[in-house]
């Protein structure tokens, strides 16, 4: 007896949306942001345009989803940093988690770089790219503020130091992607910058 005959197939909508975002990522890596349209996503995925629109109804929604996935990849890597590490080591660990050190993080960095390249001439893309910037910046400010509260002098204050460190890790990410800087050397540069910007306050008396 067929117990399932005539019953509707259960669709994992979250999984199907994730599959679409994977397609979008590959299109961005292959063709850049200008090539992203609902039609191109449909062609590459093998879905109908209507099916794509069900999950990602506009080009803006497509790009937002791609950017959000980059943030999620970085967040997962950041959460894997040893929470019991010394504060300075933890900060270095968070920054190093942004670097492309495996296939998934490398793809995420390639997508991020495509957004950055297009953002200079497209305000809409600049706004979307902000998704990728804000969360990390907020975390760096929090970590540097905690260091300042726990007996460290933070050069220029947490906000300025976070901006400097974020600019450094962004630049190093590009150089690692281009294979001009080894990951170990990039991590060493991050550690040196953290050591320069956050120094233990001398103990009085």
């Amino acid at each position: 007896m067929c117990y399932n005959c005539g019953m509707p197939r259960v669709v994992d909508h979250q999984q199907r949306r994730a599959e679409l975002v994977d397609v979008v990522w590959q299109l961005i890596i292959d063709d850049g942001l200008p090539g992203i349209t609902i039609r191109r996503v449909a062609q590459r995925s093998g879905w109908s345009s209507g099916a794509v629109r069900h999950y990602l109804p506009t080009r803006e929604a497509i790009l937002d989803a791609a950017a959000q996935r980059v943030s999620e990849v970085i967040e997962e890597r950041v959460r894997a940093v040893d929470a019991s590490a010394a504060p300075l080591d933890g900060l270095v660990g968070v920054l190093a988690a942004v670097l492309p050190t495996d296939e998934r993080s490398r793809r995420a960095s390639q997508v991020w770089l495509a957004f950055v390249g297009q953002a200079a001439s497209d305000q809409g893309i600049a706004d979307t790219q902000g998704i990728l910037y804000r969360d990390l910046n907020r975390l760096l400010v929090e970590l540097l503020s905690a260091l300042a509260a726990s007996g460290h002098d933070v050069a220029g204050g947490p906000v300025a130091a976070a901006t400097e460190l974020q600019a450094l890790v962004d630049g190093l990410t590009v150089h690692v992607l281009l294979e001009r800087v080894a990951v170990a050397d990039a991590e060493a540069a991050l550690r040196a910058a953290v050591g320069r910007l956050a120094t233990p306050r001398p103990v009085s008396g």
Side-chain angles (χ1 to χ4, degrees):
M1 182 179 294
C2 179
Y3 293 100
N4 294 322
C5 292
M7 296 183 67
R9 183 168 61 91
V10 176
V11 176
D12 186 336
H13 293 290
Q14 185 174 355
Q15 177 61 33
R16 284 175 67 80
R17 189 175 190 275
E19 290 170 3
L20 268 185
V21 176
D22 286 340
V23 171
V24 174
W25 266 27
Q26 193 59 54
L27 278 172
I28 291 173
I29 292 169
D30 291 346
D31 303 331
L33 293 182
I36 301 300
T37 64
I38 289 176
R39 183 177 180 181
R40 289 283 288 122
V41 174
Q43 290 173 338
R44 181 66 70 92
S45 65
W47 296 19
S48 68
S49 294
V52 172
R53 286 193 180 93
H54 178 74
Y55 294 96
L56 301 170
T58 64
R59 183 174 189 271
E60 290 72 21
I62 291 172
L63 296 179
D64 284 347
Q68 189 61 52
R69 172 73 70 81
V70 175
S71 293
E72 289 167 1
V73 169
I74 299 303
E75 182 179 355
E76 288 173 11
R77 289 168 61 85
V78 166
R79 288 183 181 277
V81 174
D82 185 1
S84 65
L88 287 176
D89 291 334
L91 178 55
V92 173
V94 166
L95 291 165
V98 179
L99 298 173
T101 59
D102 58 23
E103 181 59 26
R104 188 164 184 247
S105 61
R106 183 176 182 84
R107 284 169 57 79
S109 294
Q110 288 174 307
V111 173
W112 163 80
L113 187 57
F115 274 100
V116 172
Q118 191 71 19
S121 59
D122 187 326
Q123 185 57 48
I125 297 299
D127 293 340
T128 301
Q129 197 271 339
I131 296 173
L132 314 178
Y133 177 87
R134 288 188 297 268
D135 290 345
L136 178 60
N137 186 261
R138 186 181 302 115
L139 176 58
L140 293 177
V141 171
E142 290 175 0
L143 292 172
L144 287 159
S145 296
L147 280 168
S150 64
H152 287 77
D153 288 322
V154 177
V159 173
T163 299
E164 183 171 342
L165 288 173
Q166 192 158 3
L168 176 60
V169 76
D170 285 353
L172 287 170
T173 294
V174 173
H175 290 305
V176 171
L177 276 179
L178 297 177
E179 299 182 351
R180 296 294 182 266
V181 175
V183 171
D185 292 336
E187 291 174 346
L190 291 171
R191 183 172 294 280
V194 168
R196 175 176 53 81
L197 290 171
T199 55
R201 202 170 293 132
V203 178
S204 60

